[in-house]
Amino acid sequence: MKIRAAVLEEFGRPLEVQELDLAEPKAGEVLVRLVACGVCHTDLYSASGADPSGYAPTVLGHEGAGVVEWIGEGVTSLEPGDHVVTLFSPQCRECVHCRSDRTNLCLAIREQQNKGYLPDGTARLSIGGEPVRHFMGTSTFAEYTVMPEIALARVRKDAPLEAACLFACGLTTGLGAAMFTAKVEAGSTCVVFGAGMVGLGAVIGCRLAGAERIVCVDLSPDRLSLAKHHGATETMVGGPDTVAAIVESTGGFGADYTFEATGNVQWMRQAVESARMGWGLCTVAGVAGRGETLDVVPRYLITGRRIAGSSFGGVKGRDGVPVLVERWLAGEIDVESFISHRLTLDEVNRGFELMEAQDGIRSVIRFAD
Ligand code: CU
Ligand code: ZN
């Protein structure tokens, strides 16, 4: 079929919305009609060429939500009409990692997905017979996409897809970092570094876990007031004295849980040093630049602090995303407030500009209903 999609032809150039061919789903694959898609930093990062594992041409986009239109042979967990959120982090339920409750990093399709192909090593997207790769296995800056069944989470049909798409990436990453990676305990003190999509998700996760104090650190007063709206009990403008201020306000010990959601390795170090002596856990959810390293004074670890990393919030997507969506629909999470701009597919590059200008939390592309 013919579809319109935003193609990254060349690194460092604006995306070009054009007509492509999309082949029908093969065995284990599903055709999804996109209804909404968030514009995320990872898309921009890849488009810039800064990511050495990036590839082109490709259709970007990975925060999608839509409706199942057609299923390939052997697909049993989805049927046409189902509403789905796309998962760059799949869940096959069979590999050694899926069978363990200690990780969400499914191994089933990693290798081909990292290269931009569907699990059988080929692409369904093409232009004039030349293959176009599937970014993050999702390629959701498109009217339609073909994805593996194991990379789609079915959600309630009454969940507005325009906001549901935010569960495809940053929001779930933040929520999960607090709820599943750190497993924040009720009554604890938490510090969240960064009040972007991931950091705000972590603030909400801490609140849902019953944290008593939630301190959010950022540079932007606007973002900090949004953090308050979502449950931060205190806010702090970041700077060189942040660690000292946190240690001081916790009786000289530091926080039970800290979260890093900026990708800035200086802030990561502060997050480690703000964690409490004895049992403080620092969870790193921000993605640092290629080649950057985190400096940690070993004494911080010897004296009982721990550091954990969290990808997609430790959430096993097909099981976990529908549960988080339930909590949104129950009124526990204000997802709509994250949508700062609504764009058409043709305005996708404007989404990147808004992100670079740090204007708002999320731009969402709306496809024709
Ligand atoms: Cu993302
Ligand atoms: Zn798996």
Side-chain angles (χ1 to χ4, degrees):
M1 65 190 290
K2 298 279 183 197
I3 63 160
R4 294 182 78 240
V7 182
L8 172 69
E9 294 270 14
E10 233 178 283
F11 297 118
R13 298 272 310 282
L15 304 189
E16 281 179 44
V17 177
Q18 49 189 279
E19 197 178 80
L20 289 86
D21 292 298
L22 180 65
E24 62 185 38
K26 292 191 182 175
E29 297 173 358
V30 174
L31 174 68
V32 177
R33 174 173 62 84
L34 276 313
V35 172
C37 180
V39 181
C40 172
H41 264 282
T42 309
D43 300 305
L44 179 62
Y45 182 59
S46 192
S48 72
D51 178 3
S53 61
Y55 38 77
T58 185
V59 172
L60 294 181
H62 62 282
E63 283 192 15
V67 181
V68 172
E69 292 279 311
W70 191 262
I71 57 172
E73 201 189 303
V75 171
T76 54
S77 67
L78 293 168
E79 55 186 48
D82 281 345
H83 288 198
V84 289
V85 166
T86 63
L87 302 170
F88 64 83
S89 181
Q91 182 190 359
C92 76
R93 297 183 172 139
E94 286 166 10
C95 75
V96 62
H97 282 187
C98 280
R99 283 187 277 112
S100 167
D101 57 12
R102 291 178 292 183
T103 181
N104 64 330
L105 298 176
C106 175
L107 300 169
I109 59 174
R110 257 182 124 65
E111 209 176 309
Q112 292 303 333
Q113 180 178 324
N114 288 343
K115 291 188 218 157
Y117 295 114
L118 291 183
D120 74 345
T122 63
R124 302 294 157 270
L125 292 161
S126 62
I127 300 176
E130 288 298 310
V132 172
R133 292 200 246 184
H134 297 246
F135 178 66
M136 291 177 85
T138 49
S139 286
T140 49
F141 288 164
E143 293 171 329
Y144 292 83
T145 188
V146 169
M147 288 181 58
E149 171 186 24
I150 62 168
L152 293 165
R154 182 173 55 204
V155 296
R156 263 169 59 177
K157 284 187 183 166
D158 58 339
L161 291 169
E162 164 183 283
C165 72
L166 301 186
F167 285 93
C169 184
L171 177 56
T172 297
T173 300
L175 287 166
M179 299 165 73
F180 304 114
T181 303
K183 300 186 175 72
V184 167
E185 288 182 21
S188 51
T189 295
C190 302
V191 181
V192 177
F193 289 80
M197 188 74 253
V198 175
L200 293 169
V203 165
I204 297 169
C206 292
R207 169 172 57 78
L208 294 177
E212 184 179 313
R213 290 180 65 194
I214 305 167
V215 184
C216 188
V217 185
D218 198 279
L219 296 175
S220 151
D222 287 348
R223 287 171 181 241
L224 288 175
S225 70
L226 203 50
K228 283 224 155 159
H229 169 75
H230 288 286
T233 58
E234 297 150 66
T235 59
M236 210 180 265
V237 176
D241 303 327
T242 305
V243 174
I246 289 165
V247 169
E248 150 121 50
S249 85
T250 49
F253 288 114
D256 300 314
Y257 302 94
T258 65
F259 298 89
E260 197 292 320
T262 68
N264 176 316
V265 292
Q266 254 59 260
W267 284 48
M268 261 178 219
R269 178 174 177 165
Q270 291 190 334
V272 173
E273 296 182 357
S274 301
R276 194 191 200 282
M277 172 194 173
W279 63 67
L281 174 62
C282 171
T283 301
V284 175
V287 179
R290 192 80 171 187
E292 289 188 305
T293 56
L294 165 61
D295 271 335
V296 177
V297 178
R299 183 176 51 84
Y300 279 92
L301 304 179
I302 298 286
T303 48
R305 294 168 191 83
R306 292 172 301 141
I307 305 173
S310 182
S311 167
F312 198 49
V315 173
K316 292 180 188 284
R318 289 160 82 197
D319 293 339
V321 165
V323 176
L324 294 172
V325 166
E326 290 287 340
R327 300 196 73 163
W328 158 39
L329 297 176
E332 294 181 286
I333 306 171
D334 175 9
V335 181
E336 290 81 355
S337 64
F338 294 119
I339 305 173
S340 36
H341 304 274
R342 290 173 177 79
L343 307 172
T344 62
L345 178 61
D346 290 286
E347 295 171 319
V348 59
N349 292 302
R350 169 107 182 102
F352 286 162
E353 286 162 22
L354 289 164
M355 200 169 348
E356 284 178 303
Q358 299 223 336
D359 181 339
I361 298 293
R362 260 307 183 266
S363 299
V364 170
I365 295 171
R366 292 283 331 227
F367 299 89
D369 288 288

